[in-house]
Each structure stands twice: as C-alpha cells, then as structure tokens.
Amino acid sequence: MTFDLTKILRPHILNLVPYSSARDEYTGKEGIFLDANENPYQSVNGQHWNRYPDPYQWAIKQKLAPIKGVRPTQIFLGNGSDEPIDLLVRATCTPREDNMLLMPPTYGMYQVSADINDVPVIKVPLTSDFQIDTSKVLAALTPKTKIVWICSPNNPSGNLVQREAILEILNNFQGLVVVDEAYIDFASEPSFTQELDNYPNLIVLQTFSKAWGLASLRLGMCFASEEIIKVLNKIKPPYNLSGATQQLLFEALDYVETKKQLVNDILAEREHLRTNLADLPLVKKIYPSDSNFLLVEFDDASGVMQYLIDQKIIVRDRSKVILCDGCLRITVGTAEENKTLLETLKAFAIMA
C-alpha cells in the first residue's frame, strides 16, 4: 500500500514555521559568539556549560548510526522515548477527531499521551499468549486511525511479538506503525530498524535506559524515514537534549562491548532467576521473556507484593492489568539482589 505522510500529518504541521535557534543559523564551531544571549563567561561552577548545545546532536548521530545500522538522518534523539511518543501524537492526531490503536497490555505512556492530547484510542487486546490478533486489529482500523502502537518485546509480558504479524500490519495500514523496542537488546531477533527502507510508515523506538544502563540521562532513540525525522525536528523544543547529556552519551558510545557484556550478565541472571522461581510452590506461572524482566503469576500476588515491600524489595504489581491477573513484574537484578529476592520469597512461602 502506498504511504503519503502529508495525509497523516495534521494540516497545520505541514505549514508550520519552526523556531530558528542561533545554532540553526550558524553551525560553525569557531568564532566570537554574540548571537544567542549566552553568558560569555564560564558557568558559575567554573565549567564550560555556558553555551547552547547542538540542537540536532549530529556528533552523536554520526557515531550512533553505524552501531545501529542506519543513516544519521534516520535518527531522532529525545528526552526518553516519551518525547518522540508525544511528538508523534501531536504531529498526526487532531484532538477528538483522529484516533490511534493500542494492544493492551502494553506500555502505559501511549494511553497517557493520547489522554493528554485528547485523542481517542481504539483497543484490541493481545491474545492470551500476548500476541497480536491481526485480523481483529485490521478490522478495527478506521479512516481516522493515524498510529498503531506495538511494543516488542512487550511490556509487561516480556515477549517478542511475532514478526509476521507486525509485517502484516505494515503492509495493510496507511498510517504510522510504531514498534517500540525498548528491550530489543535482550531479545534474540534483529531490530525492525533493518526494515526502515522497506516501509516508509515504520517508526522504531529504542532507549539507552535499559541495556546501556543510562536511565538517569533520559535518552530515547527514534528511527524512521528522513521525511518523518524532519517533522520531529521541526516540532521538537529547540534544545531538547542538554550539552551535559550529549557529552555523556557521546562518551558512552565507546563502550559497545561493555554494553554487550552487561546484557549477557543480565540474561544469565534472568535464567537463574527463572529456574529458581519455578521451584517455589507459591509461583503458578512464569511467562516467556525476551526482556530484562519476568512476568510471574503467584497464588497470592497481593500478599507477596506487600511482604516484599515490607522487606524493602520493590517489584511492580501488574495484577490489575488485562491478561495479567495475579502477576508481578520482576526486573532482573544483580546476583546478590536476586539471591535476596529468592530467599525472601522462600521465607514468605514458609509463612503462608
């Protein structure tokens, strides 16, 4: 099916004149900078943060592109994945008129962004094994549907969504298909970034918060066609990533092998945790995981949750989420943290 971005965008976005920052008008690195009303002296703490940063983070994108197998112009960097999520909704969905489609249970920020922007949501639940019911999804789409959100590996279930189902939606929907791959580093299948040149309506989200261990920096990646990236750059805040954040990320990209080792360590601990949880009588089911967490069904989820909190062990209660009755989501910790968790659960089992 042919894809026309101009039919997806809100009309006023097409004609929007973006803010032009001083760093848009002059991109050189040398000179006497008297154009941006910055403090000409060093920062109050004596460091060099007195100048505005690159609004498009080109040094990072040049370094990141070969790591991800994409072109620098196919990358948008945001304040977490939440920023591109919100920008995509604002760029495409006219409030109370257009809609977007979610497949619960899924990441909660899609719904929050829809609510903030007053955009109706169509919900087509995943199947009992947390896969897409493609026939129901395609039947639910309307001429006013602008975005389909797919989280894979899914949160909170942890599993990869079947690739064929995602491709079927891409091939049969003329709106945007966003594949959120926050946990892709822990999965065995390749990223959908390799499909970007085949599907102009595909957008892939990733993050530095999980495998890279940079959650505090709040950095999200959005990969898409150059045409879509231009739109996001057009409507984002002028300096959406601070200079300090950019510097720390630029340095972190030198440690790709360290990141891979961290992932391997987490995967090993995930299997250790799974094996030992399965031996506990209070555990009813452990769902398959392609992520850095396990969705675990307990006989007494609320009791387990409260006991863990009392012991200052914090997991996520997902028992009220559709298809997740009696389930807690447990992030894989360090070997010592996982040992403490297991010992605490054994103590609860004895008491119960």
Side-chain angles (χ1 to χ4, degrees):
M1 299 180 73
T2 57
F3 173 72
D4 185 351
L5 183 60
T6 62
K7 294 181 179 180
I8 299 299
L9 296 176
R10 296 168 68 183
H12 75 281
I13 295 294
L14 289 170
N15 302 315
L16 177 71
V17 178
Y19 177 80
S20 179
S21 74
R23 297 301 168 258
D24 282 309
E25 296 165 7
Y26 179 76
T27 58
K29 302 298 182 184
E30 297 181 359
I32 297 174
F33 292 92
L34 305 177
D35 56 346
N37 299 337
E38 301 153 322
N39 188 324
Y41 302 103
Q42 289 184 341
S43 309
V44 292
N45 60 357
Q47 297 186 29
H48 297 283
W49 299 119
N50 55 314
R51 299 296 182 183
Y52 286 114
D54 176 3
Y56 303 109
Q57 311 96 30
W58 283 116
I60 294 172
K61 292 175 181 178
Q62 293 285 350
K63 199 171 184 179
L64 179 62
I67 295 173
K68 294 295 181 178
V70 300
R71 295 183 292 280
T73 49
Q74 291 178 306
I75 302 172
F76 175 87
L77 297 175
N79 184 351
S81 296
D82 302 331
E83 182 175 18
I85 288 171
D86 180 66
L87 290 176
L88 288 168
V89 175
R90 286 196 280 142
T92 60
C93 295
T94 299
R96 303 186 188 181
E97 180 178 328
D98 297 316
N99 64 67
M100 55 195 218
L101 187 143
L102 311 182
M103 302 172 214
T106 191
Y107 180 46
M109 277 305 298
Y110 314 141
Q111 180 71 59
V112 171
S113 288
D115 293 343
I116 290 171
N117 291 286
D118 202 10
V119 175
V121 169
I122 298 170
K123 294 182 181 180
V124 180
L126 297 173
T127 62
S128 59
D129 57 348
F130 301 111
Q131 293 296 334
I132 296 174
D133 190 328
T134 50
S135 60
K136 288 185 178 179
V137 167
L138 294 176
L141 297 172
T142 77
K144 292 293 187 178
T145 306
K146 294 294 186 73
I147 310 176
V148 170
W149 300 92
I150 302 172
C151 192
S152 181
N154 189 45
N155 179 10
S157 57
N159 63 292
L160 278 164
V161 172
Q162 291 174 350
R163 200 172 190 87
E164 296 76 14
I166 299 175
L167 291 172
E168 186 173 352
I169 295 172
L170 280 165
N171 284 313
N172 291 280
F173 177 52
Q174 296 184 19
L176 298 179
V177 178
V178 183
V179 182
D180 189 341
E181 295 183 336
Y183 302 95
I184 194 64
D185 293 283
F186 306 100
S188 57
E189 288 189 8
S191 167
F192 258 85
T193 52
Q194 66 182 22
E195 300 285 355
L196 287 176
D197 289 334
N198 298 325
Y199 294 98
N201 60 331
L202 171 64
I203 296 172
V204 179
L205 301 179
Q206 293 183 12
T207 181
F208 286 101
S209 295
K210 314 301 181 185
W212 289 85
L214 299 173
S216 185
L217 292 188
R218 303 307 303 127
L219 271 163
M221 295 167 273
C222 177
F223 305 97
S225 69
E226 281 88 349
E227 190 179 21
I228 292 173
I229 297 300
K230 286 178 181 178
V231 172
L232 295 177
N233 284 330
K234 186 179 184 180
I235 65 175
K236 77 176 184 67
Y239 304 106
N240 61 323
L241 293 185
S242 74
T245 296
Q246 291 189 42
Q247 178 177 312
L248 290 168
L249 177 57
F250 188 84
E251 294 169 357
L253 291 176
D254 288 330
Y255 295 91
V256 175
E257 293 306 314
T258 302
K259 187 269 290 186
K260 291 178 181 177
Q261 185 56 55
L262 289 172
V263 169
N264 289 336
D265 292 344
I266 290 170
L267 292 178
E269 281 301 313
R270 185 184 73 189
E271 294 314 304
H272 172 75
L273 195 58
R274 177 198 300 279
T275 300
N276 285 273
L277 283 170
D279 290 336
L280 298 177
L282 49 82
V283 172
K284 293 180 64 176
K285 182 174 183 178
I286 304 171
Y287 287 89
S289 177
D290 299 290
S291 61
N292 68 333
F293 61 86
L294 295 172
L295 186 68
V296 184
E297 183 180 357
F298 290 88
D299 283 322
D300 179 13
S302 60
V304 171
M305 181 73 186
Q306 187 57 55
Y307 185 74
L308 290 176
I309 290 174
D310 291 343
Q311 306 304 313
K312 293 184 169 53
I313 298 175
I314 314 304
V315 298
R316 197 78 186 272
D317 187 354
R318 301 283 79 183
S319 58
K320 300 297 190 294
V321 175
I322 184 174
L323 300 177
C324 298
D325 292 349
C327 289
L328 304 179
R329 193 191 70 190
I330 302 174
T331 305
V332 177
T334 64
E336 189 60 35
E337 289 171 336
N338 296 332
K339 179 183 177 182
T340 301
L341 169 68
L342 291 166
E343 289 174 347
T344 304
L345 290 173
K346 289 176 183 176
F348 179 82
I350 293 171
M351 291 169 43

